[in-house]
Amino acid sequence: MEFFDKLDLNNDTQAENKMSENTEHVKCLIIGSGPAGYTAAIYASRANMTPVMYEGLQPGGQLTTTTEVENFPGYPEGVTGPVMMEDLKKQAQRFGADIRWGLATAVDFSTMPRKVTIDGNKTIEADTVIIATGATAKYLGLEDEQKYAGSGVSACATCDGFFYRGKDVAVVGGGDTAAEEALYLAGLCNKVYLIVRRNEMRASKVMQERVFKTENIEVLWEHQTKGLTGEGVVEGAVLYKKKGTPEEEEVTIKIDGFFLAIGHKPNSDIFAEYIDVDEVGYINTVAGTAQTNVEGVFACGDVQDSHYRQAVTAAGSGCMAAIDAERYWSEKFA
Ligand code: NDP
């Protein structure tokens, strides 16, 4: 440990990556900074890939909006999301990762080296690119979601459910996430309304059965949210029942928490011209690897994972991406 503390590895990184005023050439560019990006940075630094990371709009990613993380191995007492992200960042910097503020705004993967524009005005030419841009929770688009952000509106029950112990809450959505979040909240809260816009759920049968068997979950079929009410914090929601039909009516429920669980949008838009994505936008990787369809470009974390979406699986895939990038670089450029 002391050995690494004494080395000024950041300077080594900068020296090895050739610089000019607005264009810079790097061996390994990491875009995005959640558990996937930071883990990729740790592994890539230790493999002498002298990685440069741009952290993006939300340094640390989705976990910085969570409170306690209790399921990441190595923290027996739990840890807050922001502290864990800071730990991962320091660990990557200790091995020389060059971590910078900045947002990737465009890419050109048609040339070699690959080109990535940062903040619209700087070009990074990279031998390898690791995409770790994560995913963003979807919202309904109601003004009230912003008005009550952090005051009763949340897109992560496992993060924020604890604050609503013994209270009444609502979850919006009919997929596996909504079912999972409703079940999680049912274990903490007095009552959970599950607001489903159709007369059936998209969630797997087994999850639906669990929801139906849970006494303190009430499914509000064919309901949509009109707005939220409350003095400074959420105190209720106004819903449409059977919107757009002759039986349409307004329904009011009393709740303290309003949880969105209507899916996530992978942050892959700027890559979509070059990178294969699925119908939702998740980046397709070659099974068992982090390799995308573009040579030298790798993807890890939630931007390529619609299924597990956990910090620990994101970190694992970040490790895979760095190892794949290093092997590719050694074969191609060493
Ligand atoms: P999904 O896309 O599967 O479901 C989204 C749900 O939100 C749907 O019921 C959809 O309704 C509803 N919805 C979307 N937009 C609106 C809107 N504007 N107003 C009201 N409702 C809306 O997303 P999930 O996050 O649930 O799941 C994503 C993937 O992850 C799935 O493949 C899922 O199986 C998987 N997953 C698996 C888990 C597990 O196995 N334990 C846990 C969590 C997720 P509609 O049905 O009408 O379109």
Side-chain angles (χ1 to χ4, degrees):
M1 275 187 197
E2 280 174 16
F3 170 72
F4 283 107
D5 289 340
K6 282 176 194 154
L7 287 176
D8 189 352
L9 288 161
N10 276 313
N11 283 343
D12 288 357
T13 303
Q14 283 158 13
E16 253 189 72
N17 291 320
K18 287 180 223 149
M19 300 232 238
S20 77
E21 205 169 306
N22 255 338
T23 303
E24 186 178 350
H25 180 264
V26 304
K27 269 175 158 175
C28 177
L29 174 67
I30 300 171
I31 308 172
S33 58
Y38 287 136
T39 304
I42 293 167
Y43 273 78
S45 313
R46 289 171 59 88
N48 276 341
M49 290 289 282
T50 55
V52 168
M53 171 194 277
Y54 281 92
E55 289 186 301
L57 275 183
Q58 190 181 21
Q62 292 181 81
L63 270 187
T64 54
T65 63
T66 70
T67 46
E68 201 72 7
V69 179
E70 295 185 322
N71 54 9
F72 198 92
Y75 291 101
E77 306 303 327
V79 61
T80 67
V83 167
M84 191 172 98
M85 289 305 98
E86 203 48 42
D87 282 351
L88 288 180
K89 179 175 178 174
K90 282 190 207 142
Q91 194 173 350
Q93 285 174 322
R94 186 175 144 229
F95 298 111
D98 183 349
I99 298 177
R100 307 173 183 176
W101 285 87
L103 183 67
T105 47
V107 301
D108 180 356
F109 289 161
S110 66
T111 59
M112 197 70 104
R114 309 301 179 191
K115 288 191 181 136
V116 178
T117 308
I118 306 295
D119 294 331
N121 58 23
K122 182 179 171 81
T123 303
I124 302 285
E125 294 182 346
D127 296 339
T128 63
V129 177
I130 294 178
I131 300 171
T133 45
T136 306
K138 285 193 206 160
Y139 285 78
L140 295 169
L142 301 172
E143 269 180 28
D144 287 341
E145 289 169 320
Q146 298 199 347
K147 180 175 168 189
Y148 296 103
S151 305
V153 172
S154 167
C156 181
T158 38
C159 318
D160 299 326
F162 195 68
F163 302 119
Y164 300 92
R165 276 169 303 162
K167 299 186 171 174
D168 293 353
V169 297
V171 175
V172 187
D176 280 321
T177 302
E180 205 172 65
E181 308 244 295
L183 288 163
Y184 177 79
L185 289 166
L188 291 171
C189 301
N190 176 54
K191 166 138 193 168
V192 179
Y193 295 100
L194 184 55
I195 303 171
V196 179
R197 69 177 171 183
R198 291 187 292 135
N199 62 358
E200 59 180 344
M201 288 177 71
R202 181 187 293 263
S204 55
K205 287 282 169 273
V206 59
M207 293 298 278
Q208 290 193 38
E209 271 163 29
R210 277 187 215 153
V211 166
F212 302 151
K213 274 193 204 147
T214 305
E215 281 183 1
N216 61 341
I217 299 180
E218 181 182 346
V219 182
L220 299 176
W221 299 106
E222 296 180 79
H223 281 64
Q224 293 182 50
T225 310
K226 181 182 180 191
L228 301 170
T229 55
E231 289 293 321
V233 294
V234 170
E235 290 170 336
V238 183
L239 314 174
Y240 294 113
K241 184 177 179 187
K242 298 199 171 184
K243 191 177 180 204
T245 72
E247 300 114 273
E248 176 176 318
E249 60 176 293
E250 268 186 30
V251 177
T252 303
I253 53 173
K254 207 186 137 307
I255 49 166
D256 300 291
F258 183 77
F259 290 86
L260 283 311
I262 59 171
H264 285 75
K265 184 180 181 318
N267 301 319
S268 62
D269 286 355
I270 63 163
F271 311 109
E273 187 183 341
Y274 302 97
I275 299 282
D276 281 350
V277 296
D278 71 10
E279 65 280 2
V280 181
Y282 286 97
I283 292 177
N284 291 326
T285 50
V286 176
T289 77
Q291 175 66 57
T292 69
N293 61 303
V294 177
E295 192 188 314
V297 180
F298 305 87
C300 53
D302 284 12
V303 73
Q304 53 84 59
D305 174 17
S306 63
H307 191 69
Y308 297 105
R309 296 190 283 113
Q310 299 299 302
V312 66
T313 49
S317 70
C319 158
M320 290 163 65
I323 290 175
D324 287 350
E326 192 277 326
R327 287 186 183 155
Y328 166 80
W329 193 90
S330 297
E331 276 169 27
K332 183 105 184 165
F333 300 101

